[in-house]
Amino acid sequence: MSELIEALALKVDAALAGSVARRAPLAHELGYETEAATLLTVCRTLRDAPELKFEMLMDVAGVDYLHYGRDEWQTQSATHSGFSRGRVARLDVPDPLAAGRFAVVYQLLSISHNQRLRLVVKCPDSAEPVIDSVVDIWASANWFEREAFDLFGILFRGHPDLRRILTDYGFIGHPFRKDFPLSGNVEVQYDPDKQRVVYQPVSIVPRVLVPKVIRHDHRYEPALKDPQADR
Amino acid sequence: MSAPPVSEIRNYTMNFGPQHPAAHGVLRLVLEMDGEVIRKADPHIGLLHRGTEKLAESKPFNQSIGYMDRLDYVSMMCNEHAYVLAIERLLGIEPPLRAQYIRVMFDEITRLLNHLMWLGAHGLDIGAMTVFLLCFKEREELMDVYEAVSGTRMHATYYRPGGVYRDLPDTMPKYQASRWRSPKQAARLNEVRSGSMLDFLAAFTAAFPARVDDYETLLTDNRIWKQRTVNIGVVSPERALQLGFSGPMLRGSGIAWDLRKKQPYEVYEHMDFDIPVGVNGDCYDRYLVRVAEMRQANRIVRQCVDWLRAHPGPVMVDDRKVRPPRRERMKDDMEALIHHFKFFTEGYEVPEGETYAAVEAPKGEFGIYLISDGANKPYRLKCRAPSFPHLAALEEMCRGHMLADVVAMIGTQDIVFGEIDR
């Protein structure tokens, strides 16, 4: 499997030298990262170059990297305060405008060569994430990009019909951003006086049931690997 | 004397759904009509949006398996399969062989469940009542298999990263005599249920091809059925690729693409089955493809039953990270109790990385794109639902057709809103 991946990687490097950088995912998958400025040319080459021929776009996913790698767990305070949840609300709020917060991930599939490739593009501006639309290259991008716009607020330049798709008519905010609360901001209720459904601020108190914990496991991190263990 | 006034003809907009029996859930379709002819169709979706992906980001990995059942709620275990595959790839574990066979068997049972539901509902939509009743009869039998193995008829939560929750049961749920069912009737129904689950499935797979023949007798050469489906909603292979089609929608257009053959996962490479392919890319071809797929799925179930009967063994990987301790050990072993507590509260950490795991679900390619930052919860989970791009192409397929064909088109796409809206 990995020989096939390396063979494909050579072809991609030959066709797109300089405009893509290889990501380091798993052994049986291939991922590349490119700049927003070169996205359209890279995508065209990936679709049209005879040795690549990625004629299908299977998925477009928006990603918000705001809380990446931040846990909310402190072991010491948990033992001090008895049976607390051991969860610490971190005071250092990450900067929502830090560069590289939003990314768009494209999953490509080549039917003719039976291979897959993942393309990642980071949005250059986090305040107003804008990226070129690939609808003209793959028609299936239409709804996928609408979804990424709806849920993450990523704008796609050149999209023919960039409307909200999954959220309610007149919804405010982009719910899959990490700084959007899980319980939302508004709830609806039937008002018997007005005889219609009304919006009001949400009454649920947000609560974390299981804190996010990051542990460094010696089995997965080479630096922590016990040299004796493999014998 | 003047000519009689010509009545003014203009386009008008019509609202279809969201509570229409043929909308297969909650599809709101805004149609722009020119008389009976569709000029524009704008699907409004999201009425069933539950934020599954965001909910999964707030829970340990294992607690989201149940959410996957509720995505495409007529092909439950296939969704679980993609999710546990993604976790397994990040963890770098592989389930034991018996678990892989069990998963393949249940994927194919799920395919039968889905296609039976589709055939019944699609038939009902365009005017064939009988086939609906027949399909649901068989569906009930297969749901009993779900019940036997997981305790629930639909939302099984049976797959786990590293294997499956438990081994196949030795008994089947049985009918009981009641006011509506005489003891004699119940005994006759329980005849095939007296043995183990595999015995029941062996009997089912032996009888099922004749049932498919029954459905085909009702539909395949039926004049009305053909009038409603032949040359309706034709999609060329080029457009099917552009529009991101997968599964029977792609194969109906004549592209022999099936992940089970082309990128085999689990033990599909050891299975003997064929990929049915259509020619014209119309609703009728997609019907033929799905019916042929039922026969192939039946073959695969049969092969799995034979293998599973001969090869007992573990169904869960022996990795303490993903496997809870045995119940007996917990009773007198403190460490096992702590392990159990940590496993079900904090869960397990998945190493940092990202992966895209796709399975050939009954509706097409169901993929899970999973990003982990090394925590006990997914950092980002994206479900690639096969129906989503299919429904996006509804406008292109409908344009120029009659209003009644919209229902045939929605039926042939086999859409389920649980996975479109997520």
Side-chain angles (χ1 to χ4, degrees):
Chain A
M1 195 72 188
S2 57
E3 299 92 66
L4 289 173
I5 292 292
E6 290 310 316
L8 172 61
L10 286 178
K11 286 183 206 158
V12 176
D13 290 337
L16 291 163
S19 49
V20 290
R22 177 125 180 223
R23 285 167 76 84
L26 303 162
H28 50 271
E29 283 175 57
L30 188 61
Y32 278 92
E33 193 164 336
T34 187
E35 300 291 318
T38 54
L39 174 68
L40 289 183
T41 49
V42 166
C43 286
R44 274 222 170 79
T45 317
L46 285 172
R47 187 192 65 177
D48 294 334
E51 73 276 15
L52 301 172
K53 265 189 118 36
F54 287 99
E55 62 270 89
M56 284 186 92
L57 173 69
M58 296 315 278
D59 190 27
V60 178
V63 185
D64 177 4
Y65 279 105
L66 186 64
H67 292 166
Y68 191 83
R70 292 165 58 92
D71 59 356
E72 39 189 21
W73 171 261
Q74 223 172 48
T75 321
Q76 280 90 351
S77 70
T79 38
H80 276 301
S81 53
F83 297 108
S84 78
R85 287 178 185 276
R87 180 179 175 263
V88 281
R90 291 180 56 150
L91 296 173
D92 52 324
V93 180
D95 178 14
L97 299 179
R101 178 180 168 189
F102 292 105
V104 182
V105 185
Y106 303 86
Q107 314 283 351
L108 307 181
L109 171 68
S110 164
I111 295 257
S112 16
H113 297 309
N114 190 9
Q115 52 202 11
R116 287 182 189 274
L117 188 140
R118 182 181 311 133
L119 190 66
V120 181
V121 191
K122 289 238 161 95
C123 301
D125 185 5
S126 294
E128 194 182 287
V130 184
I131 223 153
D132 286 318
S133 167
V134 295
V135 170
D136 295 334
I137 303 173
W138 294 289
S140 56
N142 188 333
W143 274 27
F144 286 130
E145 288 182 348
R146 273 178 74 186
E147 183 193 323
F149 160 70
D150 188 2
L151 302 178
F152 289 93
I154 298 167
L155 300 162
F156 291 89
R157 198 185 291 117
H159 191 287
D161 184 24
L162 201 62
R163 283 178 293 155
R164 284 187 178 273
I165 185 164
L166 288 177
T167 50
D168 199 1
Y169 303 111
F171 190 87
I172 299 167
H174 299 287
F176 276 28
R177 288 187 172 188
K178 289 282 176 182
D179 46 8
F180 191 95
L182 182 66
S183 49
N185 292 321
V186 287
E187 62 186 21
V188 288
Q189 196 183 30
Y190 179 72
D191 189 327
D193 299 331
K194 291 178 184 155
Q195 298 215 323
R196 63 179 172 87
V197 172
V198 291
Y199 283 85
Q200 59 191 40
V202 74
S203 56
I204 309 166
V205 180
R207 172 173 97 132
V208 175
L209 293 174
V210 182
K212 179 176 170 185
V213 188
I214 296 181
R215 290 185 200 281
H216 299 281
D217 193 317
H218 69 89
R219 288 184 294 181
Y220 309 125
E221 287 182 42
L224 296 174
K225 207 166 177 73
D226 179 8
Q228 308 282 316
D230 284 340
R231 280 190 210 157
Chain B
M1 195 178 154
S2 63
V6 179
S7 61
E8 195 190 342
I9 296 172
R10 58 191 167 83
N11 287 2
Y12 54 94
T13 311
M14 209 176 87
N15 193 41
F16 178 96
Q19 300 295 342
H20 189 286
H24 282 226
V26 281
L27 168 66
R28 183 180 170 210
L29 204 55
V30 180
L31 301 167
E32 203 179 300
M33 314 275 304
D34 180 4
E36 274 274 301
V37 180
I38 313 283
R39 290 281 169 244
K40 251 174 94 178
D42 182 19
H44 287 208
I45 63 168
L47 287 106
L48 201 62
H49 179 59
R50 295 145 295 176
T52 302
E53 294 155 353
K54 181 140 180 142
L55 280 169
E57 287 167 16
S58 70
K59 290 185 163 46
F61 282 92
N62 271 11
Q63 290 184 20
S64 301
I65 300 172
Y67 281 128
M68 297 298 130
D69 291 315
R70 285 145 182 90
L71 288 174
D72 178 357
Y73 46 74
V74 287
S75 44
M76 294 69 70
M77 289 207 200
C78 290
N79 309 340
E80 287 174 29
H81 199 165
Y83 180 64
V84 299
L85 265 185
I87 298 173
E88 279 168 3
R89 285 198 187 149
L90 284 177
L91 282 170
I93 54 174
E94 193 175 311
L97 203 55
R98 186 174 167 86
Q100 297 191 20
Y101 270 93
I102 292 177
R103 283 186 187 176
V104 166
M105 184 174 81
F106 271 97
D107 274 16
E108 296 308 315
I109 289 174
T110 308
R111 198 177 311 280
L112 288 176
L113 277 173
N114 179 81
H115 284 1
L116 285 170
M117 169 83 198
W118 167 82
L119 185 62
H122 187 39
L124 193 62
D125 281 350
I126 55 180
M129 179 82 198
T130 323
V131 70
F132 180 78
L133 302 171
L134 290 178
C135 285
F136 268 64
K137 205 169 130 257
E138 299 313 310
R139 210 163 172 255
E140 206 59 33
E141 309 260 285
L142 291 173
M143 280 186 169
D144 284 347
V145 178
Y146 259 52
E147 185 183 333
V149 83
S150 71
T152 50
R153 284 155 42 83
M154 292 181 80
H155 302 302
T157 325
Y158 179 55
Y159 295 1
R160 292 284 184 285
V164 293
Y165 169 59
R166 64 174 179 190
D167 207 344
L168 304 173
D170 294 327
T171 51
M172 281 294 292
K174 292 191 177 61
Y175 283 102
Q176 280 171 353
S178 64
R179 277 167 65 194
W180 304 278
R181 193 171 283 122
S182 68
K184 208 171 147 193
Q185 271 179 318
R188 189 170 49 79
L189 284 166
N190 287 338
E191 223 167 79
V192 282
R193 289 153 203 271
S194 53
S196 71
M197 203 195 91
L198 289 175
D199 297 335
F200 177 78
L201 273 174
F204 178 87
T205 48
F208 188 66
R211 303 275 173 279
V212 184
D213 292 341
D214 289 349
Y215 313 145
E216 288 221 75
T217 317
L218 283 168
L219 296 177
T220 304
D221 292 321
N222 184 322
R223 185 162 50 90
I224 305 171
W225 181 259
K226 283 180 115 169
Q227 279 171 349
R228 290 302 305 270
T229 52
V230 174
N231 280 331
I232 301 293
V234 178
V235 183
S236 71
E238 295 77 29
R239 280 314 284 171
L241 290 176
Q242 261 287 313
L243 293 165
F245 280 14
S246 52
M249 294 290 286
L250 188 62
R251 293 192 281 275
S253 295
I255 295 174
W257 178 260
D258 190 320
L259 291 181
R260 295 175 293 168
K261 281 270 191 220
K262 305 284 178 179
Q263 301 176 356
Y265 47 96
E266 310 293 11
V267 288
Y268 273 116
E269 55 206 359
H270 304 313
M271 295 292 153
D272 180 25
F273 65 103
D274 305 316
I275 314 176
V277 178
V279 179
N280 304 317
D282 57 4
C283 290
Y284 188 66
D285 277 20
R286 288 187 281 269
Y287 153 75
L288 292 177
V289 164
R290 287 196 174 102
V291 169
E293 262 179 28
M294 284 207 269
R295 296 185 192 274
Q296 299 304 323
N298 193 58
R299 269 174 79 188
I300 300 177
V301 174
R302 185 85 215 215
Q303 293 166 42
C304 290
V305 167
D306 291 343
W307 191 93
L308 286 166
R309 272 178 165 166
H311 298 82
V315 294
M316 190 75 183
V317 70
D318 193 20
D319 183 336
R320 301 295 146 156
K321 183 121 172 157
V322 296
R323 175 194 185 154
R326 294 184 66 82
R327 202 82 199 161
E328 304 90 83
R329 281 202 65 208
M330 277 169 58
K331 304 288 181 191
D332 53 17
D333 185 357
M334 186 66 192
E335 277 71 31
L337 193 65
I338 295 170
H339 178 202
H340 181 271
F341 176 75
K342 287 302 274 183
F343 183 82
F344 283 102
T345 51
E346 183 184 304
Y348 48 85
E349 281 76 23
V350 168
E352 189 176 352
E354 56 181 30
T355 189
Y356 178 77
V359 298
E360 184 74 28
K363 293 180 169 60
E365 174 176 325
F366 185 90
I368 293 282
Y369 176 53
L370 185 67
I371 305 180
S372 168
D373 59 349
N376 55 339
K377 308 173 185 181
Y379 184 75
R380 167 90 169 107
L381 178 75
K382 170 82 186 7
C383 311
R384 191 268 178 204
S387 302
F388 191 77
H390 293 167
L391 186 65
L394 186 73
E395 163 150 36
E396 192 174 318
M397 286 171 70
C398 277
R399 206 179 293 133
H401 280 84
M402 310 292 267
L403 175 62
D405 296 330
V406 174
V407 175
M409 228 77 83
I410 294 170
T412 193
Q413 288 189 342
D414 193 10
I415 47 177
V416 155
F417 274 85
E419 64 169 2
I420 291 176
D421 293 347
R422 276 158 290 151

